[in-house]
Amino acid sequence: MKKESLEDIINDLRSRRDCLSLAHESIKKKSDQYNKIIIILSLITGCVETTKIKMNWNGNVVALIPVFMSSLIGMISAIMKFEDFPTKMETLVQAISLLTNTLLKARNHGELDDELLQEYHSSLQANESSLYPDIRKTYLKEAHKNLLCIMKAEQVYYNNIQKVNNGEKMTLKCDSISDATPSVDNIILDKTETDLEFGEKQKEKEKLNL
């Protein structure tokens, strides 16, 4: 889709930058999982070796446990080296940096010019060369969804501010966890109604006592 306005370019740069950030986050999580497994296995191996020495375990099975654990650690390390996580993350970081700089320049521009278009095209090239097409499609769809949700939340936020300034009752809905809880306005109304009911009951008791 051809981008013909400055606003279109800004929105496209935001979504593509977020796409790369999501990809970087996914790769980092996978790398961290491998590292955590290696750390845990190394600690278990050290614990077994220490226990074997303290307890004077000389059995063949006990002697093979550290060998098995070391082989497992070596296998995971080889998989990590094959995946080449650092290079992938470095490529994404460089592309994200280029997109961020171009986005900043676009926001500081009052109108679309040739210089900004050239930098925008360079950013597109960095985005397209840093991820395979099928992977880019997945994260770009997620980035579009996230941006639309953010825009929707901002729209609700400013509408509620307008309602508060006008003295109107606002409807407050947060994330899925707190959606089930009543809004602040409802809590205040419920409390007021409870106080009124309590006062009426007290009056009825006083009348009965008299």
Side-chain angles (χ1 to χ4, degrees):
M1 180 178 177
K2 187 177 181 180
K3 309 299 185 297
E4 297 180 350
S5 68
L6 184 61
E7 190 66 26
D8 289 339
I9 285 180
I10 290 174
N11 289 329
D12 190 48
L13 287 171
R14 287 178 64 190
S15 62
R16 291 179 183 275
R17 182 195 59 181
D18 290 354
C19 163
L20 297 182
S21 297
L22 289 171
H24 182 275
E25 181 184 14
S26 177
I27 294 174
K28 187 177 184 302
K29 282 182 179 179
K30 193 173 181 181
S31 176
D32 290 343
Q33 287 176 351
Y34 279 116
N35 286 322
K36 289 176 184 177
I37 292 172
I38 289 176
I39 291 171
I40 292 172
L41 291 177
S42 299
L43 291 174
I44 292 174
T45 303
C47 180
V48 170
E49 288 283 0
T50 304
T51 305
K52 185 177 69 172
I53 294 172
K54 291 293 184 180
M55 301 297 293
N56 292 322
W57 290 345
N58 298 318
N60 294 330
V61 176
V62 178
L64 288 174
I65 292 177
V67 177
F68 172 77
M69 298 294 287
S70 298
S71 300
L72 189 59
I73 292 172
M75 181 179 65
I76 297 174
S77 300
I79 293 174
M80 287 187 64
K81 187 175 181 180
F82 176 78
E83 291 285 351
D84 198 13
F85 293 123
T87 302
K88 292 178 180 178
M89 288 191 289
E90 180 63 26
T91 302
L92 289 171
V93 167
Q94 292 176 359
I96 291 170
S97 178
L98 179 59
L99 284 163
T100 302
N101 291 334
T102 307
L103 178 60
L104 179 61
K105 291 181 180 179
R107 285 171 170 168
N108 291 331
H109 271 63
E111 58 183 10
L112 188 60
D113 54 22
D114 293 337
E115 180 183 356
L116 183 59
L117 271 177
Q118 290 178 359
E119 296 194 20
Y120 170 67
H121 294 154
S122 299
S123 300
L124 290 182
Q125 179 63 30
N127 174 262
E128 293 168 357
S129 61
S130 58
L131 290 173
Y132 291 114
D134 56 335
I135 299 175
R136 188 171 70 249
K137 178 189 70 174
T138 301
Y139 290 117
L140 193 58
K141 287 173 64 177
E142 188 67 25
H144 287 160
K145 180 182 176 182
N146 290 340
L147 284 174
L148 289 174
C149 290
I150 291 171
M151 291 177 182
K152 180 181 178 181
E154 288 180 350
Q155 192 176 46
V156 173
Y157 170 70
Y158 287 113
N159 288 339
N160 281 330
I161 288 179
Q162 188 66 33
K163 288 181 180 180
V164 171
N165 292 335
N166 295 334
E168 301 174 5
K169 180 180 176 181
M170 69 173 181
T171 303
L172 180 62
K173 289 185 179 180
C174 299
D175 51 21
S176 57
I177 298 176
S178 57
D179 279 345
T181 60
S183 67
V184 177
D185 293 317
N186 293 335
I187 292 173
I188 294 173
L189 289 174
D190 293 342
K191 185 178 183 301
T192 305
E193 291 172 359
T194 304
D195 291 342
L196 290 173
E197 291 174 359
F198 179 77
E200 291 175 358
K201 290 179 180 179
Q202 287 293 108
K203 291 179 180 179
E204 290 178 0
K205 288 182 181 179
E206 290 176 359
K207 288 180 181 179
L208 292 174
N209 292 333
L210 293 174

